[in-house]
Amino acid sequence: MTHVVHSRPQPVETNDGPYGIGIIGGGAGGVLTALHALRLARTPVRIVLFEPAPLLAKGVAYATTRAEHLLNVPVRRMSAFDDAPDDFLDYAAAIPLADGPDRDALAHTYAERRCYGDYLATRLQQARDASPASLEIRRQRVTGLQVADGSYRLTTEEGQTVLCAGVVLAVGNRPRPLPARGAPDLPATARLEAWDFDAIGDIPVDADVCIVGSGLSMVDAVLTMAQNRHRGRVHVLSRHALLPLAHTAYAVAGFDVEALLRMDLRGRIRFLRRAAVEASCQRLPWQAVMERLRPHGQALWQSLSLPDQRRFLRHAARLWDVHRHRIAPSAHACIAAMREHGQLRLHRGRLDTVVPVGPRIRLSLRMHDGRSQQLDVDRIINATGVEMRAQTMRNPLLSDLLGRGHAQPGTHGIGIKTARNGSLVDANGNTQAGLIAIGSLRIGCLWESIAVPELRGQAEAAARQLLAVRSPSPADMAAAR
């Protein structure tokens, strides 16, 4: 799909409120929340969205400008709306292409990921034009939050305060730091983040590269190097040495998920292995088993006992990830070809230390069998994935919320604790109906919480809930000042 640039909402000069809804974060989750709030509003409620980046809907997932980075889900399953499942397909089909596929074929393709942010921004602008509500955008970072007589007083990095009746935390994802001693001492040109797409694109084609992590971020880096006709060696290092698997033609296996929910973790694993064998006997791919599970990911997690959840995190999470979060067949084929030709080598182990040695980097690895190994490369790429612990996300707002007791860590220390509707649970165990988290912050409670179907559902539910919250009164606003 050809990349099309659409007009973007421009910053609007605003006063300090009061606002009915405050949205913190302008990536996919924040934009989806604003979009649903605008569509659902029946009164002139004021909505404010805080995002310091210049473009909306361009969080880490959709910030890429590279054509080789594809969505991991076909076009027909990427709508922003549960009640309009073909909406993204409608958008994509309306883009004129000289030799593009027809609508039916387009539905099964994997669009360029950079187009999805454009889609969300376009739908947001259309909703702004049609809604009685107003959306104001502040290019500011929120660093603090206090409860003010039932409302929420937000503090920006510049020291300004803004009062909101309800707040949605859509802060998105942050990468984990490179897990190696000596990493901070490496030159910035040698130590790259997988989400720094421009830096990955500038890697010399003859450089030997080590990618730490073997998940979806690794796929992006490898695809960019392949697009650049990279000639150097590419080493991929991870604890499990499991690569993402490919999608196949859509099919759904037929088994009773309710029975699965009643089993413990060990029983579920045995059941799914048998289900994959039975699917094969019916000439269905094993992916059909995962498609049957797809709508039930959160129920599967929440129905596990806490000890079984811990066992899953220790022993099965990576196995789940590679089967559940699959990639486009073309992306999988590219990686497979590089492995077959010996250019991409997969290593099972951990990174211990990194040390500059002349113009190169010496990596000390601890392999899965206990052996030590050294590897000299020209570049190292951090593709270890997203940080899941709120305490280590290096986010001033989350630190403030935890420090003031307005939030507490989520299950197993992952994300933050929320009620079933996403409302934050404070340090005393009280649910705060007007303070809602969506996306990665809910991963400890839901596990499946960052894909578009989950995000759009959470965003719509949060918008509905906060539209029912009163706006701050003039007296509230005066007190906040």
Side-chain angles (χ1 to χ4, degrees):
M1 184 185 298
T2 301
H3 178 49
V4 178
V5 178
H6 299 273
S7 61
R8 301 306 183 102
Q10 296 301 308
V12 178
E13 290 294 326
T14 69
N15 58 38
D16 288 342
Y19 296 96
I21 299 176
I23 301 169
I24 302 174
V31 168
L32 282 166
T33 303
L35 174 54
H36 281 285
L38 290 166
R39 292 178 80 229
L40 293 168
R42 298 295 179 263
T43 61
V45 62
R46 299 182 68 201
I47 305 166
V48 60
L49 185 150
F50 294 87
E51 174 52 59
L55 299 177
L56 295 182
K58 292 290 187 178
V60 293
Y62 306 115
T64 179
T65 60
R66 307 279 312 192
E68 67 271 14
H69 294 162
L70 305 178
L71 293 171
N72 295 318
V73 177
V75 167
R76 65 185 175 86
R77 296 165 64 188
M78 287 293 289
S79 172
F81 311 104
D82 284 333
D83 59 357
D86 288 339
D87 189 67
F88 182 55
L89 175 58
D90 294 339
Y91 170 87
I95 298 174
L97 296 175
D99 55 352
D102 62 29
R103 181 185 172 86
D104 289 342
L106 180 64
H108 302 282
T109 64
Y110 297 80
E112 294 173 15
R113 207 161 69 228
R114 60 187 179 179
C115 294
Y116 197 72
D118 295 333
Y119 158 68
L120 292 180
T122 298
R123 292 295 188 251
L124 179 66
Q125 186 59 56
Q126 291 169 345
R128 291 179 83 178
D129 294 340
S131 178
S134 63
L135 173 65
E136 300 171 7
I137 299 165
R138 290 197 172 203
R139 305 298 181 184
Q140 295 173 304
R141 189 183 309 277
V142 176
T143 57
L145 181 150
Q146 291 180 282
V147 178
D149 295 326
S151 299
Y152 301 93
R153 184 167 60 233
L154 310 181
T155 304
T156 69
E157 199 169 32
E158 296 79 10
Q160 298 175 345
T161 60
V162 179
L163 197 69
C164 300
V167 173
V168 176
L169 302 177
V171 299
N173 304 312
R174 286 190 67 96
R176 293 189 183 113
L178 188 66
R181 288 177 292 168
D185 299 325
L186 292 178
T189 54
R191 175 173 54 89
L192 310 178
E193 296 292 333
W195 292 343
D196 189 346
F197 304 115
D198 291 338
I200 302 299
D202 289 339
I203 294 175
V205 295
D206 291 317
D208 290 336
V209 177
C210 178
I211 305 175
V212 183
S214 60
L216 300 179
S217 298
M218 175 277 299
V219 174
D220 282 349
V222 170
L223 292 178
T224 293
M225 287 187 283
Q227 182 68 25
N228 291 346
R229 301 184 184 276
H230 194 83
R231 296 189 294 266
R233 294 187 184 89
V234 179
H235 301 274
V236 175
L237 172 70
S238 75
R239 289 188 300 136
H240 301 94
L242 294 173
L243 299 175
L245 299 170
H247 281 284
T248 56
Y250 185 72
V252 181
F255 56 82
D256 183 10
V257 176
E258 290 298 322
L260 194 64
L261 296 176
R262 295 189 292 269
M263 300 177 187
D264 63 11
L265 179 63
R266 190 182 299 274
R268 293 180 187 190
I269 292 173
R270 287 197 296 262
F271 181 97
L272 292 176
R273 285 173 174 160
R274 289 197 302 270
V277 171
E278 291 170 4
S280 178
C281 293
Q282 298 169 21
R283 297 187 178 182
L284 293 175
W286 62 260
Q287 288 88 338
V289 174
M290 300 306 295
E291 294 298 347
R292 181 71 179 98
L293 296 179
R294 176 66 187 89
H296 307 283
Q298 294 178 359
L300 286 165
W301 174 253
Q302 293 175 330
S303 59
L304 279 177
S305 67
L306 289 176
D308 263 354
Q309 287 181 354
R310 286 193 290 271
R311 292 185 189 98
F312 174 86
L313 292 171
R314 282 199 308 270
H315 304 299
R318 183 59 186 152
L319 196 62
W320 169 267
D321 284 346
V322 299
H323 288 83
R324 159 68 184 86
H325 300 287
R326 301 185 298 280
I327 58 178
S330 61
H332 187 268
C334 174
I335 293 172
M338 291 177 69
R339 290 192 70 189
E340 183 178 350
H341 295 143
Q343 184 183 14
L344 189 150
R345 303 178 184 182
L346 186 60
H347 305 273
R348 185 179 180 186
R350 299 173 183 264
L351 183 60
D352 189 9
T353 61
V354 293
V355 180
V357 179
R360 308 195 86 197
I361 310 164
R362 178 157 296 165
L363 314 181
S364 295
L365 315 180
R366 179 70 61 183
M367 310 313 291
H368 75 285
D369 57 5
R371 292 181 300 109
S372 295
Q373 183 175 327
Q374 287 190 338
L375 192 64
D376 288 354
V377 296
D378 301 295
R379 298 288 189 277
I380 183 168
I381 300 174
N382 177 19
T384 53
V386 300
E387 183 60 74
M388 294 196 294
R389 298 182 182 274
Q391 306 96 311
T392 55
M393 286 183 182
R394 307 182 302 283
N395 184 307
L397 175 60
L398 295 180
S399 297
D400 186 69
L401 287 168
L402 292 166
R404 293 181 184 276
H406 297 322
Q408 60 172 294
T411 309
H412 312 296
I414 300 173
I416 57 178
K417 187 172 183 178
T418 64
R420 285 191 175 270
N421 65 357
S423 298
L424 267 64
V425 177
D426 69 17
N428 296 318
N430 301 315
T431 299
Q432 303 172 91
L435 186 55
I436 300 174
I438 69 170
S440 60
L441 290 179
R442 298 180 65 184
I443 195 168
C445 299
L446 301 177
W447 187 248
E448 291 285 328
S449 189
I450 60 175
V452 165
E454 284 72 35
L455 275 181
R456 71 190 179 206
Q458 292 174 18
E460 180 176 354
R464 288 185 183 278
Q465 182 172 328
L466 293 189
L467 284 170
V469 177
R470 68 175 178 87
S471 295
S473 69
D476 290 334
M477 190 61 212
R481 288 175 176 165

